[in-house]
Amino acid sequence: MEKGKPALREIVEEFGEGVLQPDGTLDRKKLASIVFTDREELKKLNRITHKYITAIVKEELAASKADISVIDAAVLKESGILDMCDYVIAVIAEKDIRIKRIMERDGITEEAAKNRINSQEPDAKYVQYADFVIDNSGDVALDALLDDILSEIGGTTQSER
């Protein structure tokens, strides 16, 4: 969604010039305030962005020489990326913890963080497609859990790299 790219042009056509910053780049907070408060607006954004994201993922996977590639995606099924995956790891966490983390990461209000969470599918939807589930609600050492999963599927663990 960089300046001058087709995805940004389509977003501006759909949502108007108000989603741009003065320098012509995307105002992500403004767009988020629109799409995370209205499911229909989020669907419009997803219809625009999924095709570009899927194309980039396909290109990067084709170019990769790695034994294992990791795709970080919240909408695997809806974007068509699920079909490219041999394994799916769902990382879930309690809602209040997710809200706090989003607020800290993105510097947004609690209301804005709740809007983002409420626009997402429930954890059960992600879990149903998962081969592995990690509950990230506590202070779990994610690296160790990921090493266990990589060992199980036959990949190289982080300690072996």
Side-chain angles (χ1 to χ4, degrees):
M1 294 190 282
E2 296 171 2
K3 187 175 178 179
K5 298 286 185 174
L8 183 58
R9 283 194 292 274
E10 283 189 53
I11 288 169
V12 172
E13 287 173 15
E14 183 64 47
F15 297 99
E17 299 278 334
V19 298
L20 294 176
Q21 298 186 70
D23 66 356
T25 59
L26 181 64
D27 185 335
R28 292 179 181 274
K29 286 187 178 183
K30 176 64 176 170
L31 182 60
S33 71
I34 295 168
V35 301
F36 293 129
T37 57
D38 184 326
R39 279 196 184 269
E40 289 306 311
E41 296 298 309
L42 181 58
K43 286 179 185 176
K44 290 177 187 177
L45 177 63
N46 287 340
R47 276 194 295 274
I48 294 168
T49 59
H50 284 176
K51 62 185 172 235
Y52 296 106
I53 294 167
T54 301
I56 290 168
V57 169
K58 284 181 181 179
E59 287 173 20
E60 289 184 4
L61 288 174
S64 176
K65 305 272 189 255
D67 293 335
I68 293 178
S69 297
V70 176
I71 303 167
D72 180 1
V75 287
L76 281 174
K77 179 128 175 85
E78 298 83 354
S79 64
I81 295 174
L82 180 64
D83 297 334
M84 297 180 220
C85 299
D86 294 322
Y87 299 96
V88 174
I89 303 170
V91 181
I92 59 173
E94 295 172 14
K95 188 174 182 177
D96 59 327
I97 292 170
R98 291 169 54 205
I99 290 168
K100 181 180 175 197
R101 289 176 180 164
I102 292 169
M103 290 170 59
E104 289 172 1
R105 181 192 69 206
D106 296 346
I108 60 176
T109 66
E110 182 175 354
E111 180 182 357
K114 284 180 179 179
N115 286 339
R116 288 184 186 195
I117 298 263
N118 291 336
S119 72
Q120 297 172 350
E121 298 293 339
D123 286 347
K125 180 166 183 196
Y126 300 108
V127 169
Q128 89 182 58
Y129 301 113
D131 299 289
F132 304 92
V133 178
I134 296 175
D135 186 340
N136 191 22
S137 295
D139 293 328
V140 178
L142 289 178
D143 288 348
L145 293 173
L146 289 172
D147 273 352
D148 290 345
I149 292 169
L150 288 172
S151 291
E152 188 169 334
I153 63 175
T156 304
T157 65
Q158 294 177 43
S159 61
E160 295 170 325
R161 287 186 196 125

